[in-house]
Amino acid sequence: MSTELRFPPGFRWGTATSAYQVEGATRADGRGESVWDRFCRVPGAIENGDTGDDACQHYHRADEDVALMASLGLNAYRLSLAWPRIFPAGDGRLEPRGLAHYDRLVDRLLAHGITPLVTLYHWDLPQPLQDRGGWRDRATAHRFADYAAACFDAFGDRVRDWVTINEPWIVGVLGHQLGLHAPGERDVAGSVRAMHHLLLGHGLAAGALRATGRPDARAGVAYSLFPHTPAADTDADRAAAHGSDGYVNRWFLDPVHGRGYPADVREHWENAVGPLDFVADGDERTIAAGSDFIGVNYYTRRIVSAGRGDGPFPWKVEPGRDDVPRTDLNWEIVPDELTGLLLRLHRDHPGVPLLVTENGAVLDDDRRVAFLHGHLAAVHRALAAGAPVEGYYHWSFLDNFEWAMGYRPRFGLVHVDRTTQRRTVKDSGRWYAAAARSGAIPPWPA
Ligand code: IFM
């Protein structure tokens, strides 16, 4: 009798990338400047002075890369569109060469039986919009909805599923609070505005998708979700973990899925930055208008204790447990938390389909196989317990530009030689291909 773990028919076996991290060709075909092009020029901002100028040259090697994906038997791919390729100035003139590139890429994927999941915003804001205030300015949410509508118009006949915004919390915290990501702001109040406008942009874009009248089109956010563990089994640490969960997870999930901003987090933010007067009447209704799935980007958990340490809040993020294995970036590897997270989302937002839109690790490749195995088994347990998980997109297809850490961390199932750009499928890529082809993984533990 087989004890393999079989996934449901139609399960999406995918990988994920984002435009700035893989495309390169930042000056090709009329592409405008993005905040990341600018940020990479700030001395010391990126390890080793790396930039996305070349990245994996995916812009020029898209055919080869899609053929490689197909040869691995993958049936899904999450990619992002570069806003500055489509609207080089952020708004106004559409660049037909940018549209033509993605048009061809989408056709290529479909011709190989690979279903595209398209992200509209994976952090490469056109610099001219940043010059007008970026996400701190409400108008950016409207420009985003215009860009989204143009993409729905161009690709909506072939693309059904859209991730509007990738990881609004990370954009807020790393980009606007800590200055570690583009646009490099250190402005706590500005970060709260930015996060609100990102969600508003999502709601406006989801509304624009509805307005296309395509009944099977779906929109959702890909959230950076961190399950929380209290450091000690005390009321104080449990309250801290709940508060931090609000800051990281509920602040985004609740409004998008119709519950409005959570009162406890709103109070924390108002204590920290004053009244949230940029949340206009009706905004929460707009934000809640029409999300069709939850995109789960899961990497690790947060262990939290009471005390000060995490920005302006009364909790502290602890370093993690000694007996838990780590990735080479020192992130705890806890696949069980993914099961718990998926079940929690199913409980809190019943009926909403779930997609694991990112999961991956920087590890030597033997350990990546174990990581994949553990996390897919975790997804399987969630499915068995009733969570409606439709697919898994491994981060990442290729070793790529890991933002402020440059090219040092390698997340790919496919190795990319930085000098020759040669692609070599890793053992983990072959393992994942076997799983995708058979629709099952060996029993866990192996
Ligand atoms: O590379 C990033 C990606 O762009 C967003 N989610 C996390 C990944 C790994 O850090």
Side-chain angles (χ1 to χ4, degrees):
M1 189 185 80
S2 162
T3 48
E4 66 180 15
L5 305 179
R6 179 148 294 284
F7 286 71
F11 190 78
R12 297 195 204 176
W13 299 88
T15 60
T17 63
S18 87
Y20 191 74
Q21 292 178 273
V22 297
E23 282 183 351
T26 50
R27 302 215 171 111
D29 291 342
R31 178 184 176 281
E33 188 189 16
S34 81
V35 290
W36 272 94
D37 297 301
R38 183 71 66 94
F39 189 64
C40 286
R41 261 74 209 169
V42 175
I46 314 293
E47 267 184 45
N48 194 37
D50 289 344
T51 74
D53 289 0
D54 255 358
C56 308
Q57 296 181 359
H58 181 61
Y59 189 78
H60 293 305
R61 294 170 183 259
D63 289 359
E64 173 197 338
D65 287 341
V66 172
L68 182 56
M69 245 173 246
S71 77
L72 295 177
L74 305 178
N75 65 7
Y77 178 45
R78 176 175 173 229
L79 67 140
S80 84
L81 309 183
W83 184 348
R85 288 197 191 280
I86 293 177
F87 285 102
D91 60 359
R93 191 183 64 80
L94 262 172
E95 172 52 68
R97 289 170 293 176
L99 286 174
H101 171 76
Y102 293 119
D103 207 56
R104 181 177 158 81
L105 178 51
V106 165
D107 282 346
R108 253 353 240 200
L109 289 164
L110 293 172
H112 280 97
I114 299 171
T115 302
L117 168 62
V118 175
T119 304
L120 291 164
Y121 186 69
H122 203 122
W123 307 352
D124 40 5
L125 185 73
Q127 183 62 39
L129 293 184
Q130 184 60 36
D131 296 340
R132 280 146 56 187
W135 287 107
R136 287 180 300 177
D137 181 5
R138 188 178 177 87
T140 299
H142 289 277
R143 298 297 73 76
F144 174 71
D146 297 341
Y147 152 64
C151 296
F152 302 149
D153 193 37
F155 312 117
D157 55 338
R158 286 154 293 157
V159 175
R160 172 183 176 222
D161 289 342
W162 300 87
V163 169
T164 52
I165 303 288
N166 186 66
E167 300 184 351
W169 182 66
I170 297 287
V171 178
V173 174
L174 295 190
H176 292 79
Q177 244 180 66
L178 302 176
L180 297 173
H181 278 188
E185 306 282 343
R186 288 193 175 81
D187 169 9
V188 177
S191 80
V192 197
R193 294 176 75 95
M195 292 188 286
H196 176 64
H197 294 142
L198 284 156
L199 292 185
L200 186 62
H202 160 74
L204 292 167
L209 188 60
R210 295 280 158 278
T212 64
R214 293 207 161 85
D216 60 347
R218 306 194 301 177
V221 172
Y223 309 87
S224 51
L225 296 176
F226 291 80
H228 279 70
T229 305
D233 192 16
T234 61
D235 286 350
D237 284 3
R238 272 192 294 275
H242 180 72
S244 175
D245 176 71
Y247 167 55
V248 176
N249 301 325
R250 287 181 287 117
W251 187 248
F252 305 94
L253 286 163
D254 282 12
V256 171
H257 296 282
R259 298 172 158 204
Y261 281 121
D264 62 320
V265 189
R266 194 168 183 139
E267 197 180 318
H268 281 306
W269 275 128
E270 284 175 345
N271 288 337
V273 302
L276 308 187
D277 49 12
F278 48 83
V279 180
D281 284 351
D283 280 4
E284 282 164 288
R285 216 172 321 116
T286 304
I287 291 170
S291 287
D292 305 294
F293 60 84
I294 294 176
V296 179
N297 292 2
Y298 170 73
Y299 289 88
T300 191
R301 66 173 172 187
R302 279 162 57 105
I303 300 180
V304 173
S305 64
R308 291 229 161 247
D310 196 15
F313 300 113
W315 53 75
K316 189 159 166 271
V317 180
E318 300 291 344
R321 310 255 196 250
D322 288 343
D323 56 348
V324 171
R326 309 286 178 116
T327 72
D328 293 352
L329 293 181
N330 210 23
W331 301 353
E332 283 188 317
I333 302 173
V334 269
D336 281 351
E337 293 282 4
L338 176 57
T339 309
L341 173 62
L342 293 166
L343 292 175
R344 169 231 173 133
L345 294 168
H346 179 43
R347 185 194 65 222
D348 290 354
H349 307 284
V352 183
L354 306 173
L355 288 169
V356 178
T357 35
E358 286 183 27
N359 172 243
V362 180
L363 286 171
D364 73 65
D365 203 49
D366 286 348
R367 296 184 70 214
R368 182 174 291 99
V369 172
F371 181 97
L372 261 166
H373 200 171
H375 285 80
L376 281 163
V379 170
H380 194 271
R381 285 196 292 282
L383 276 163
V389 190
E390 294 184 352
Y392 173 91
Y393 296 79
H394 191 75
W395 186 273
S396 179
F397 178 53
L398 302 171
D399 290 336
N400 62 44
F401 177 74
E402 178 56 21
W403 308 114
M405 289 184 269
Y407 294 98
R408 176 176 56 85
R410 289 181 173 269
F411 274 95
L413 295 174
V414 174
H415 177 272
V416 177
D417 183 299
R418 294 275 354 118
T419 312
T420 62
Q421 291 284 346
R422 181 153 179 259
R423 276 75 165 135
T424 308
V425 179
K426 302 181 188 177
D427 288 346
S428 54
R430 277 191 284 277
W431 185 93
Y432 189 53
R437 283 200 196 95
S438 64
I441 59 171
W444 179 258

